[in-house]
Amino acid sequence: MKHVLSTVALALAAMGCSAKEVSVHDPVMAKEGDTYYVFSTGPGITFYSSKDMKNWTPEGRVFKGQPVWAKKAAPTFDDHIWAPDIQFHDGQYYLYYSVSGFGKNTSGIGVTVNKTLNPRSPDYKWVDKGMVLQSVPVRDDWNAIDPNVIEDGKGNAWMSFGSFWSGLKLVKLNKDWTGIAEPQEWHAIASRTSGEAAATEKAGPGEIEAPFIFKKGDYYYLFVSFGLCCKKADSTYHVMVGRSKEVAGPYLDKNGVDMMKGGGTLVIAGDKDWKGLGHNSAYTMDGKDYLVLHAYETADNYLQKLKIMEMKFDAAGWPTVDQADLNKYRSNQLPAK
């Protein structure tokens, strides 16, 4: 099959045709059996399947309609579900997601579960478990979007999340992974404000979002996106990282600066060919580490595209990627089945 797909791609190139690439925002990835799945921001959460991480089949949307609670948390919700996170726990897949109004913290994070990611399996059925947490303007100086869940070495699940305002947060989840644990345990893990941000409806200038915590060796690595997305040529998104031996932090950058004080070490930023790199996820699969993110291609009117890059760690244990891989990796969107 892989040989056939490669032959097709070569034939298209010979005819002067360019294969359509996978256009996604905020991608996350999972593997079930011999199949990879990518989920992304979009109507009802869009997702794709692949056997090789390069040739992707569109699989439609996760939600046939809308989460029943979405309009209550975000009155301006327009069917675009943001920034999913996919996790496997206790025999089920947990798909976390957020609903919001752009630039507002009228937001909520929910979770839906499934026994399988294969839409052609008889066991395939998403069951929405509802809202995990919510942010409310004026009440909260944080934003309930961009969830990511990490399990610590003690069997506890922690959700990192947040965007702008006072920065990124971490909260302990209950044993079911569907709500906040009681008694509640919250931590502030990264911020770009000079002090506490007011609980106002405006986001403020602290451009930080999209936390993703990746465990490697003795460290938890906190990846974040600095800057602005969604502005085509003017997009300034770039990926930063800090690390800690404790899931709750403090997360320090390569220079020892706390990420709560604006610290962060650059992983990758845009160049002349690609803008707005960010909202990454990170995984160990098939014996390799990968950084998954979106980037806007200059030559294609800044259309957002999927990027999967091999990630290595230097002698000091800091993650690195090869900038050249932005152009080397090209996804191919196959016809829907």
Side-chain angles (χ1 to χ4, degrees), residues 43-329:
I45 305 177
T46 53
F47 74 114
Y48 299 79
S49 65
S50 173
K51 298 293 186 182
D52 60 6
M53 284 197 215
K54 292 182 180 178
N55 296 284
W56 295 91
T57 300
E59 298 289 2
R61 51 188 285 166
V62 169
F63 282 90
K64 303 299 183 186
Q66 298 180 359
V68 295
W69 58 272
K71 284 281 190 180
K72 295 179 182 177
T76 59
F77 175 67
D78 63 358
D79 197 37
H80 272 68
I81 299 177
W82 294 0
D85 181 49
I86 185 70
Q87 301 289 336
F88 185 74
H89 167 67
D90 198 23
Q92 294 189 106
Y93 290 93
Y94 288 67
L95 185 63
Y96 296 87
Y97 60 91
S98 43
V99 301
S100 185
F102 197 85
K104 300 180 179 181
N105 66 338
T106 51
S107 309
I109 292 171
V111 62
T112 183
V113 301
N114 203 330
K115 292 180 181 179
T116 179
L117 301 180
N118 180 5
R120 282 161 286 283
S121 167
D123 293 326
Y124 181 83
K125 182 182 180 182
W126 288 105
V127 179
D128 193 35
K129 297 295 184 178
M131 187 162 58
V132 179
L133 61 88
Q134 179 182 7
S135 57
V136 177
V138 180
R139 185 193 74 178
D140 301 316
D141 67 345
W142 44 268
N143 193 14
I145 66 170
D146 297 359
N148 168 245
V149 174
I150 179 81
E151 189 171 0
D152 65 19
K154 303 172 186 176
N156 301 307
W158 297 84
M159 176 185 285
S160 58
F161 66 92
S163 172
F164 286 70
W165 280 271
S166 65
L168 310 182
K169 313 299 179 185
L170 184 77
V171 64
K172 189 176 182 180
L173 297 183
N174 61 20
K175 295 298 182 183
D176 294 332
W177 288 33
T178 58
I180 299 173
E182 297 289 349
Q184 294 188 13
E185 186 175 346
W186 294 69
H187 300 272
I189 55 175
S191 179
R192 296 188 74 192
T193 63
S194 56
E196 287 192 10
T200 62
E201 291 191 20
K202 293 186 178 180
E207 297 172 356
I208 184 171
E209 56 191 14
F212 194 98
I213 299 176
F214 176 70
K215 184 70 160 53
K216 179 76 172 179
D218 294 332
Y219 288 100
Y220 294 92
Y221 291 84
L222 172 60
F223 293 90
V224 303
S225 293
F226 281 9
L228 297 171
C229 79
C230 318
K231 291 184 176 293
K232 293 196 171 185
D234 296 327
S235 300
T236 57
Y237 242 22
H238 53 288
V239 179
M240 307 290 283
V241 72
R243 70 185 185 186
S244 172
K245 290 190 174 181
E246 301 294 332
V247 70
Y251 286 90
L252 308 181
D253 67 14
K254 192 179 289 189
N255 295 319
V257 180
D258 193 331
M259 293 185 77
M260 276 299 297
K261 297 180 179 178
T265 294
L266 179 66
V267 178
I268 189 167
D271 55 29
K272 64 182 178 59
D273 296 325
W274 299 95
K275 305 294 182 183
L277 276 63
H279 212 296
N280 76 282
S281 51
Y283 306 96
T284 301
M285 291 182 178
D286 311 316
K288 293 182 179 180
D289 298 318
Y290 293 97
L291 192 76
V292 182
L293 67 160
H294 70 244
Y296 304 152
E297 187 171 18
T298 303
D300 196 8
N301 195 30
Y302 305 101
L303 182 64
Q304 64 270 12
K305 295 184 178 180
L306 173 67
K307 294 295 169 185
I308 300 177
M309 311 172 73
E310 186 175 352
M311 181 169 60
K312 297 182 179 180
F313 287 77
D314 66 18
W318 289 97
T320 65
V321 292
D322 186 350
Q323 191 87 16
D325 285 347
L326 285 172
N327 278 321
K328 289 179 183 177
Y329 178 84

